[in-house]
Amino acid sequence: QDNSLKSLCKLWNFNSFKNDAVDIDVDRMAKNIRFYTDVEKLKQAYGKIIRMCLDQELEGEQRHKIILDLKEVNVDGGTEIHFIIHHLNSVFGTTVLDLEERYGQKFTGIINSQINGLCNWSLTADFGGGNYAQVMLWPKGKHKKIDKFEGVEYKLIFAR
């Protein structure tokens, strides 16, 4: 049985989002990365993040375009696993400062119920008006301005 995160995402997508106007591309996800985590909490967090993406209004009859990626990254002499949910055709719905000052119910709920104890969580996004930034959502951190970025990317970061 293939228990890779890629296969699980395909199953979750089919079961939860088959009736939504969304194309979720899993082709970039590595299948050979082994890591151990609370799969049920990860499934719940994934579902809530995808639902947040789908709640963003798009112009006209566009379908949401989401790319998933899973990769190992060397950071500060160690290894992390990054599970990336990149919503390509979206702009984040608030300013960077508003996001830092108050998360809102969706983020707080996901952090308290799924993310805390599971992994770290960051957001890289186009905040509109030529503002692009990376924000550490959990543990909470200050934003870092970045060069032009397309869409909104949620990154779940697992220690190795």
Side-chain angles (χ1 to χ4, degrees):
Q1 181 179 346
D2 182 2
N3 283 333
S4 70
L5 185 55
K6 182 176 184 173
S7 293
L8 291 174
C9 286
K10 285 180 180 179
L11 178 66
W12 299 339
N13 293 342
F14 179 77
N15 290 338
S16 301
F17 308 112
K18 66 179 175 252
N19 295 324
D20 291 290
V22 62
D23 298 317
I24 303 175
D25 181 351
V26 300
D27 290 343
R28 294 184 188 179
M29 294 182 74
K31 283 183 76 169
N32 59 346
I33 296 177
R34 292 191 178 276
F35 69 107
Y36 302 95
T37 191
D38 184 329
V39 175
E40 188 55 36
K41 274 189 175 183
L42 179 58
K43 175 184 177 186
Q44 291 169 12
Y46 173 76
K48 288 180 178 183
I49 292 169
I50 295 291
R51 189 56 58 200
M52 280 193 305
C53 294
L54 299 179
D55 286 346
Q56 292 295 315
E57 294 207 13
L58 300 179
E59 293 179 17
E61 297 293 315
Q62 284 188 70
R63 291 176 63 82
H64 294 270
K65 305 233 180 301
I66 298 173
I67 294 177
L68 304 182
D69 198 356
L70 181 69
K71 57 188 171 188
E72 280 185 304
V73 179
N74 293 322
V75 178
D76 298 328
T79 305
E80 295 175 344
I81 296 168
H82 292 186
F83 177 35
I84 297 164
I85 302 166
H86 189 169
H87 189 194
L88 288 175
N89 53 339
S90 180
V91 173
F92 198 75
T94 185
T95 68
V96 179
L97 295 177
D98 279 349
L99 176 61
E100 281 185 342
E101 286 177 15
R102 53 187 178 279
Y103 280 154
Q105 288 181 314
K106 286 182 183 176
F107 283 157
T108 301
I110 293 172
I111 289 168
N112 291 341
S113 301
Q114 282 84 31
I115 300 294
N116 188 1
L118 180 72
C119 61
N120 292 346
W121 188 23
S122 74
L123 169 83
T124 304
D126 175 351
F127 285 87
N131 296 304
Y132 308 95
Q134 186 172 38
V135 181
M136 200 65 206
L137 298 172
W138 185 258
K140 193 169 183 177
K142 289 289 179 198
H143 76 276
K144 180 174 74 177
K145 287 200 176 286
I146 59 168
D147 290 334
K148 191 170 173 64
F149 186 83
E150 181 185 5
V152 178
E153 178 184 277
Y154 299 94
K155 185 183 300 178
L156 301 178
I157 304 162
F158 298 85
R160 194 52 145 153

